């Protein structure tokens, strides 16, 4: 299929710039996989729309304050200058397995940042009050990183110098990596509301460069109501990485290759999955990240003829109509509305059917649902 087969027209004013005033009050469109019928609901209807015994699986990854601003020093700067130069935006996408604090990152402008450069990270951001070029040397960097390697499309490998508490420093100087369609002034890349709401209430392990946004709708009260209604809840961890930020650069879906992302499955969740399968209970995935992880795990279990057990790994599974649309574990999906021509929309189309998905999205546009990360959601059963 062509990537353009997944295009739709979206008025810009339907792209949600802020979350709903109260978490959990989003609208929710339900879509039947069997009939293609859809209906308008609100998210608080979720507990009564699921069945007792359903297993609901959440992605509990926590979003890092992964957007940083740096100045550079090194091979291509003036060696006699006492101060580093040039504002660089850095988006950390994944920590690498090594004996050092090495990360893959996207940098802008990429052509200025080459292997051998050193990046200095101070507690300022472009447009914010801060030292000018005459006083910049008075502000000691809180982090420094050497650029080890370069890749395509702005990718760089960074090695951070040791500090007492790297994540505490990130919390101090980093910003949550809001998607580019959510507009914020350079002087305030995140609002206080963003810092509270671009994170699920069940987020646990730090590591994602973007929120698993289907989970943003949940509140502790809704989770409690689900349990009261005999819905079993389990979690897994998939850290959202580079693939979320890279645009598709091919014309045909069969040529798409996703970046691998790390995940962890606990024994508790493995047992819950095995029990649900054995007892014929539905498994409902919250978000495309959870769906990809579960389907990858199912395929590996089938390939190796081994049971599903606790483990960690990586997945680059790409689910799309006509390519890989045989869902082995997931029988229901809660998901936000996704960008046109995106791999996430392709996954939804593979799960619900491309015609049914097109019709549901056309209804959502006509009914003025709010789209993307801070927007409304769909429940596909």
């Amino acid at each position: 299929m062509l990537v353009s087969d997944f295009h739709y027209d979206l008025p810009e004013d339907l792209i949600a710039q802020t979350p709903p005033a109260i978490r959990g009050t989003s609208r929710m469109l339900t879509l039947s996989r069997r009939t293609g019928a859809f209906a308008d609901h609100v998210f608080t209807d979720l507990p009564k729309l699921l069945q007792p015994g359903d297993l609901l699986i959440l992605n509990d990854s926590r979003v890092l304050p992964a957007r940083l601003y740096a100045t550079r020093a090194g091979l291509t700067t003036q060696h006699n200058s006492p101060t580093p130069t040039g504002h660089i935006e850095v988006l950390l996408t994944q920590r690498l397995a090594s004996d050092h604090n090495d990360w893959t990152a996207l940098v802008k402008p990429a052509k200025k940042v080459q292997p051998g450069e050193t990046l200095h990270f101070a507690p300022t951001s472009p447009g914010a009050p801060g030292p000018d070029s005459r006083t910049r040397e008075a502000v000691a960097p809180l982090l420094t990183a050497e650029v080890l390697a370069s890749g395509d499309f702005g990718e760089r490998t960074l090695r951070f110098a040791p500090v007492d508490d790297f994540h505490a420093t990130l919390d101090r100087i980093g910003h949550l990596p809001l998607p580019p369609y959510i507009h914020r002034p350079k002087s305030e890349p995140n609002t206080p509301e963003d810092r509270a709401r671009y994170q699920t209430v069940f987020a646990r392990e730090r590591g994602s460069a973007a929120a698993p946004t289907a989970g943003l709708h949940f509140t502790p009260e809704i989770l409690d109501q689900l349990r009261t209604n005999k819905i079993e809840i389990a979690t897994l961890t998939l850290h959202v990485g580079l693939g979320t930020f890279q645009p598709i650069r091919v014309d045909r879906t069969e040529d798409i290759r996703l970046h691998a992302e790390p995940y962890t499955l606990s024994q508790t969740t493995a047992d819950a999955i095995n029990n649900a399968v054995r007892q014929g209970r539905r498994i409902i995935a919250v978000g495309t990240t959870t769906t990809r992880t579960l389907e990858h795990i199912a395929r590996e279990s089938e390939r190796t003829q081994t049971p599903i057990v606790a483990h960690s790994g990586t997945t680059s599974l790409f689910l799309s109509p006509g390519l890989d649309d045989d869902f082995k574990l997931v029988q229901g999906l809660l998901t936000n509305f996704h960008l046109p021509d995106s791999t996430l929309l392709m996954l939804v189309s593979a799960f619900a059917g491309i015609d049914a998905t097109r019709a549901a999205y056309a209804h959502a546009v006509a009914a003025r649902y709010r789209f993307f990360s801070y927007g409304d959601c769909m429940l596909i059963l």
Side-chain angles (χ1 to χ4, degrees):
M1 297 187 72
L2 296 176
V3 171
S4 58
D5 292 333
F6 298 89
H7 186 77
Y8 66 93
D9 293 324
L10 180 69
E12 190 169 349
D13 66 337
L14 295 186
I15 300 173
Q17 295 299 310
T18 59
I22 300 173
R23 193 191 289 262
T25 59
S26 299
R27 299 168 71 189
M28 182 171 68
L29 183 66
T30 59
L31 174 62
S32 169
R33 295 178 76 193
R34 184 175 61 86
T35 68
F38 47 80
D40 300 312
H41 290 271
V42 291
F43 185 72
T44 49
D45 291 338
L46 180 67
K48 67 184 182 185
L49 292 172
L50 299 183
Q51 301 172 359
D54 283 345
L55 172 60
L56 188 73
I57 303 183
L58 313 166
N59 181 3
D60 64 3
S61 180
R62 176 172 288 274
V63 185
L64 289 166
R67 178 165 279 119
L68 305 169
Y69 295 96
T71 52
R72 62 191 182 92
L75 292 179
T76 59
T77 57
Q78 295 180 10
H79 290 283
N80 295 328
S81 173
T83 63
T85 61
H87 280 295
I88 304 296
E89 180 179 339
V90 175
L91 177 62
L92 303 181
T93 57
Q94 186 177 324
R95 184 167 184 174
L96 301 175
S98 74
D99 295 332
H100 302 277
N101 192 10
D102 294 349
W103 291 75
T104 57
L106 294 174
V107 303
K108 294 192 303 186
K111 64 181 180 180
K112 289 187 176 182
V113 182
Q114 298 300 324
E117 292 276 2
T118 298
L119 299 179
H120 294 200
F121 300 86
T124 58
S125 61
D132 62 23
S133 60
R134 293 165 296 179
T135 61
R136 195 177 283 143
E137 69 270 17
V139 179
L142 299 183
L143 293 173
T144 61
E146 179 187 357
V147 182
L148 298 183
S150 62
D152 297 331
F153 311 118
E155 298 168 39
R156 297 293 184 269
T157 302
L158 306 182
R159 174 168 294 172
F160 284 88
V163 293
D164 288 339
D165 192 330
F166 178 74
H167 284 291
T169 307
L170 276 189
D171 289 339
R172 178 177 174 186
I173 67 174
H175 307 278
L176 292 176
L178 297 179
Y181 50 74
I182 295 178
H183 303 301
R184 296 290 182 267
K186 284 187 176 182
S187 59
E188 190 180 19
N190 296 157
T191 66
E193 182 180 46
D194 292 327
R195 287 186 279 275
R197 298 291 297 278
Y198 194 67
Q199 198 80 263
T200 65
V201 298
F202 47 81
R204 185 181 59 84
E205 182 180 338
R206 292 184 263 199
S208 276
T213 54
L216 296 179
H217 305 282
F218 288 86
T219 66
E221 294 76 17
I222 292 172
L223 291 168
D224 287 343
Q225 187 61 57
L226 287 162
R227 295 185 180 98
T228 298
N229 289 15
K230 309 301 182 184
I231 310 301
E232 185 178 7
I233 299 174
T235 61
L236 54 76
T237 306
L238 178 131
H239 293 317
V240 184
L242 185 62
T244 294
F245 301 94
Q246 293 287 39
I248 297 174
R249 294 185 173 89
V250 296
D251 295 327
R252 304 189 63 84
T253 57
E254 55 262 41
D255 296 326
I256 293 174
R257 301 292 182 269
L258 298 184
H259 286 78
E261 295 171 315
Y263 70 85
T264 298
L265 182 75
S266 69
Q267 190 60 53
T268 298
T269 299
D271 291 342
I273 293 169
N274 291 326
N275 289 337
V277 171
R278 185 167 55 250
Q279 296 163 9
R281 295 186 284 117
R282 295 190 304 184
I283 295 175
I284 315 295
V286 175
T288 56
T289 58
T290 303
T291 301
R292 290 179 58 243
T293 306
L294 290 172
E295 292 301 312
H296 168 89
I297 289 168
R299 284 156 175 74
E300 286 299 294
S301 175
E302 185 177 87
R303 182 182 64 82
T304 60
Q305 295 295 295
T306 56
I308 294 173
V309 296
H311 68 283
S312 295
T314 63
T315 180
S316 57
L317 179 64
F318 172 51
L319 296 162
S320 183
L323 290 178
D324 199 341
D325 50 13
D326 178 20
F327 286 75
K328 301 177 183 302
L329 278 181
V330 176
Q331 295 156 286
L333 170 60
L334 177 75
T335 183
N336 279 22
F337 294 97
H338 300 295
L339 276 71
D341 311 317
S342 67
T343 60
L344 304 185
L345 181 54
M346 293 169 194
L347 183 153
V348 172
S349 299
F351 185 73
I354 190 167
D355 291 336
T357 302
R358 284 172 178 159
Y361 267 61
H363 171 78
V365 171
R368 298 194 61 79
Y369 276 69
R370 302 168 78 241
F371 278 65
F372 307 158
S373 294
Y374 275 151
D376 298 316
C377 59
M378 292 178 66
L379 176 64
I380 308 170
L381 294 172

